[in-house]
């Protein structure tokens, strides 16, 4: 009882120190903020790594350091959070002065203000219409409230699925982190307009399939009448979509429409490289978010993240993107996230995704968007260009040349699903690796595995290696002149039967007991020199007669097979 009084007094004290003069029930301030703004942010003191992991498994942590963490609560989180009795300080919603919604489409396309939902939809169509040779508008899916989740494909021969590495840039899965949203529309325009300019944009558009999804959570951003006055982090059901992806060890919250549509899209496109843009801090965050261990390609992830931040540092004001290790962190070293898209793509789909936080301020004022663009666009182009590097080629059947889906695996290195697969339709594969000597093994069911040595000499090097896999050549015994050749014999029920070479075409295979009772009879086709394979491993031990009759007129050949079982120990 005493403890309760103390906690209540503490909560009142905290509430009082934040400008709330009158006595209130703990949590009333949170409820009021949620009903007015759609969500409430609260600051809690950092409770230690394990307790933080527990909190982050239930509530959305939007940032955290060794002193405190900011939680973002939607309507469905409030009661549970209040019931826990964790002391908190409410965060007063950010000032919206200087935060500016465009008054016209042409103003929105100056990229210094935020478009309305209608503007956004029109901008995406306009970009696709203006550069039809390299740009196509597609829909990933629809939000809970029925808004289209749009993506622009930017590539030469845009109507064709070319066997090129594909890259996806996506932003604003948290609806209240809008800077990346404008940045990516502008990047789409930059790439499309530069696609014949002879520079890096042309190189990227011709060598890659680039997909740009500026807004992954339209209902979060346009909660308020299609303008962005008070956007929220979660979708319209109150779920944080970047905590909603499947996890190998813990059950995720109910899969939201936006998430299942995105998963279907990601599974179809199988991006080699992708990025997820956010705001709230300034750091490049790479896998794992969920496991406190290194990704096998940690060196490579650190390399591409380092280059992003270092390129930013060349162009930005001092002090921008220097959080944690000078602008780079492994996710788990910051705080544990379950159900994030980055880990799902990297662990579940053989992709490589990082999360880039581009502004300390979640709601970047429109007047700062030009600056954020100037500080980041070279890094974004360079990040896309990473997909041109690595070991790449095609895998095909050695006899027919048909493309093969093969597992591309590095023994002694790959773990936690870090291997990749070649594409089922085109046979192309792409494996990003840090400089070094790598033995890469390709395997596919029904084929002999094949390994080769790839020497990566520099970060920006490409090793082109096409692979053809062979079916194993079996050494069967020569067909008998007469009768049946059965082996192994005795056997455990699985055995092979070689017929004389002259018996080909339709045959009936019959197994009978020594009494003559038929146990099994089936029709199949015989090829000269290829044995029939039989599996009667469910039969009890004993002596059985195998007979093979050529159809329709014979001959009929017989042989004996002995099925034994090891005695149980
Ligand atoms: Zn975010």
């Amino acid at each position: 009882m005493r403890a309760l009084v103390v906690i209540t007094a503490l909560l009142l004290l905290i509430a009082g120190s934040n400008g709330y003069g009158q006595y209130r029930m703990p949590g009333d301030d949170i409820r009021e903020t949620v009903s007015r703004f759609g969500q409430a942010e609260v600051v809690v003191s950092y409770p230690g790594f394990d307790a933080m992991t527990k909190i982050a498994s239930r509530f959305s942590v939007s940032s955290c350091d060794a002193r405190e963490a900011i939680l973002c609560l939607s309507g469905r989180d409030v009661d549970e959070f209040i019931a826990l009795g964790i002391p908190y300080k409410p965060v007063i919603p950010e000032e919206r002065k200087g935060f500016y919604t465009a008054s016209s489409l042409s103003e929105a396309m100056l990229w210094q203000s935020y478009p309305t939902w209608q503007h956004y939809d029109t901008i995406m169509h306009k970009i696709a219409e203006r550069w039809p040779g390299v740009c196509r508008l597609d829909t990933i899916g629809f939000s809970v409230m029925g808004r289209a989740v749009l993506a622009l494909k930017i590539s030469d021969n845009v109507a064709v699925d070319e066997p090129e590495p594909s890259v996806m840039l996506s932003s604003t899965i948290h609806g209240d982190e809008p800077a990346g949203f404008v940045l990516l529309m502008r990047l789409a325009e930059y790439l499309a307009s530069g696609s014949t300019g002879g520079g890096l944009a042309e190189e990227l558009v011709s060598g890659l399939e680039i997909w740009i999804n500026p807004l992954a959570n339209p209902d979060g951003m346009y909660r308020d009448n299609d303008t962005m006055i008070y956007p929220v982090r979660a979708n319209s059901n109150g779920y944080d979509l970047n905590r909603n992806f499947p996890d190998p060890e813990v059950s995720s919250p109910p899969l939201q429409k936006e998430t299942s549509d995105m998963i279907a899209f990601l599974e179809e496109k199988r991006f080699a490289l992708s990025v997820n843009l956010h705001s709230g801090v300034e750091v490049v965050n790479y896998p794992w978010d969920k496991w406190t261990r290194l990704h096998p390609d940690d060196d490579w992830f650190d390399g591409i993240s380092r280059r992003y931040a270092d390129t930013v540092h060349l162009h930005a004001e001092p002090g921008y993107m220097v959080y944690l290790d000078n602008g780079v962190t492994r996710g788990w070293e910051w705080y544990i996230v379950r159900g994030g898209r980055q880990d799902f793509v990297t662990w579940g789909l053989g992709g490589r995704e990082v999360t880039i936080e581009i502004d300390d301020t979640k709601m970047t004022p429109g007047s700062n968007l030009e600056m954020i663009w100037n500080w980041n666009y070279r890094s974004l182009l360079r990040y896309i260009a990473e997909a041109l590097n690595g070991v790449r080629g095609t895998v095909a059947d050695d006899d027919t040349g048909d493309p093969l889906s093969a597992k591309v695996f590095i023994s002694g290195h790959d773990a936690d699903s870090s291997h990749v697969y070649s594409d089922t339709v085109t046979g192309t594969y792409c494996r990003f690796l840090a400089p070094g000597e790598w033995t890469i093994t390709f395997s596919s069911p029904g084929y002999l595995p094949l390994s080769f040595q790839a020497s990566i000499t520099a970060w920006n090097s490409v090793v082109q290696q096409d692979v053809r896999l062979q079916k194993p050549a079996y050494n069967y015994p020569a067909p008998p002149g007469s009768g049946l050749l059965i082996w192994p014999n005795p056997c455990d029920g699985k055995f092979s039967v070689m017929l004389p070479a002259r018996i080909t075409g339709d045959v009936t295979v019959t197994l009978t007991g020594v009494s003559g009772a038929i146990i099994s009879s089936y029709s199949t086709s015989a090829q000269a020199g290829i044995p029939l394979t039989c599996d009667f491993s469910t039969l009890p031990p004993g002596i059985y007669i195998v007979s093979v009759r050529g159809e329709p007129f014979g001959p009929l050949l017989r042989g004996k097979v002995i099925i034994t079982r090891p005695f149980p120990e």
Side-chain angles (χ1 to χ4, degrees), residues 492-493 519 536-544 562-565:
D492 61 0
I519 294 160
F536 293 105
S537 47
T538 54
L539 289 180
I543 299 171
Y544 298 89
I562 300 166
I563 298 180
T564 59
R565 289 280 187 290

Side-chain angles (χ1 to χ4, degrees), residues 473-481 483-489 495-501 527-533:
Y474 292 103
N475 286 318
Y476 299 125
L484 300 176
L485 178 64
I486 299 174
W487 83 95
N489 201 3
F495 56 91
S496 299
V497 180
M498 186 69 89
L499 314 178
Q527 261 181 282
I530 306 289
L532 306 172
T533 54

Side-chain angles (χ1 to χ4, degrees), residues 222-237:
Y222 289 110
R223 184 181 76 89
D224 229 8
N225 294 325
D226 290 356
T227 60
M228 320 178 20
I229 306 301
Y230 285 105
V232 293
R233 179 183 182 90
N235 75 344
S236 60
N237 289 334

Side-chain angles (χ1 to χ4, degrees), residues 205-318:
V205 171
S206 66
L208 301 167
E209 310 245 290
I210 304 166
W211 287 81
I212 295 184
N213 161 234
L215 181 55
N217 177 9
D219 290 352
M221 174 174 287
Y222 289 110
R223 184 181 76 89
D224 229 8
N225 294 325
D226 290 356
T227 60
M228 320 178 20
I229 306 301
Y230 285 105
V232 293
R233 179 183 182 90
N235 75 344
S236 60
N237 289 334
Y239 286 92
D240 183 335
L241 298 175
N242 206 34
R243 307 288 185 273
N244 197 233
F245 285 83
D247 183 288
E249 283 145 9
V250 301
S251 57
S252 306
L255 205 61
Q256 298 299 295
K257 175 86 172 61
E258 293 88 348
T259 313
S260 54
D261 289 351
M262 181 61 85
I263 290 173
F265 178 74
L266 295 170
E267 282 179 338
E268 187 201 326
K269 303 295 180 204
R270 297 277 164 171
F271 297 103
L273 183 67
S274 50
V275 63
N276 196 340
L277 296 182
H278 292 250
S279 297
V281 289
E282 293 160 2
V283 72
V284 182
N285 171 110
Y286 69 83
W288 302 112
D289 274 337
K290 65 184 172 215
W291 286 320
T292 53
R293 56 185 184 248
L294 299 185
H295 187 283
D297 291 331
D298 186 77
D299 281 351
W300 178 83
F301 270 118
D302 183 63
I304 62 162
S305 304
R306 192 72 272 157
R307 282 195 292 286
Y308 189 97
D310 288 353
T311 305
V312 162
H313 296 155
L314 291 177
H315 303 282
E317 271 174 18

Side-chain angles (χ1 to χ4, degrees), residues 54 84 103 254 305 322 393 537 543:
K54 222 166 173 178
L84 285 175
S103 56
S305 304
V322 293
S537 47
I543 299 171

Side-chain angles (χ1 to χ4, degrees), residues 228-435:
M228 320 178 20
I229 306 301
Y230 285 105
V232 293
R233 179 183 182 90
N235 75 344
S236 60
N237 289 334
Y239 286 92
D240 183 335
L241 298 175
N242 206 34
R243 307 288 185 273
N244 197 233
F245 285 83
D247 183 288
E249 283 145 9
V250 301
S251 57
S252 306
L255 205 61
Q256 298 299 295
K257 175 86 172 61
E258 293 88 348
T259 313
S260 54
D261 289 351
M262 181 61 85
I263 290 173
F265 178 74
L266 295 170
E267 282 179 338
E268 187 201 326
K269 303 295 180 204
R270 297 277 164 171
F271 297 103
L273 183 67
S274 50
V275 63
N276 196 340
L277 296 182
H278 292 250
S279 297
V281 289
E282 293 160 2
V283 72
V284 182
N285 171 110
Y286 69 83
W288 302 112
D289 274 337
K290 65 184 172 215
W291 286 320
T292 53
R293 56 185 184 248
L294 299 185
H295 187 283
D297 291 331
D298 186 77
D299 281 351
W300 178 83
F301 270 118
D302 183 63
I304 62 162
S305 304
R306 192 72 272 157
R307 282 195 292 286
Y308 189 97
D310 288 353
T311 305
V312 162
H313 296 155
L314 291 177
H315 303 282
E317 271 174 18
Y320 177 70
M321 202 170 274
V322 293
Y323 190 51
L324 299 169
D325 179 15
N326 200 23
V328 174
T329 188
R330 297 180 185 105
W332 56 272
E333 288 183 324
W334 188 17
Y335 63 93
I336 298 281
V337 168
R338 289 282 184 177
R341 204 185 81 187
Q342 164 192 284
D343 277 15
F344 171 75
V345 167
T346 304
W347 160 80
L349 300 178
R352 297 289 183 266
E353 180 158 311
V354 308
T355 303
I356 303 180
E357 304 263 0
I358 55 171
D359 193 358
D360 276 344
T361 307
K362 271 198 185 181
M363 297 292 280
T364 306
S367 54
N368 285 355
L369 288 171
E370 176 78 10
M371 183 178 78
I372 299 280
W373 164 261
N374 280 323
W375 292 353
N376 282 278
Y377 80 91
R378 298 171 191 87
S379 293
L380 285 169
L381 294 171
R382 188 165 183 169
Y383 185 84
I384 299 170
E386 301 284 356
L388 294 166
N389 303 331
V391 185
R392 48 197 280 203
T394 58
V395 186
D397 178 303
D398 191 44
D399 286 336
T400 62
D402 291 340
L404 270 185
S405 171
K407 184 178 179 182
V408 183
F409 187 81
I410 300 170
S411 191
H413 172 79
D414 277 324
D416 294 331
S417 291
S418 61
H419 57 273
V420 300
Y421 288 90
S422 58
D423 184 81
T424 321
V425 180
T426 62
T428 50
Y429 74 94
C430 171
R431 178 68 199 257
F432 305 125
L433 290 164

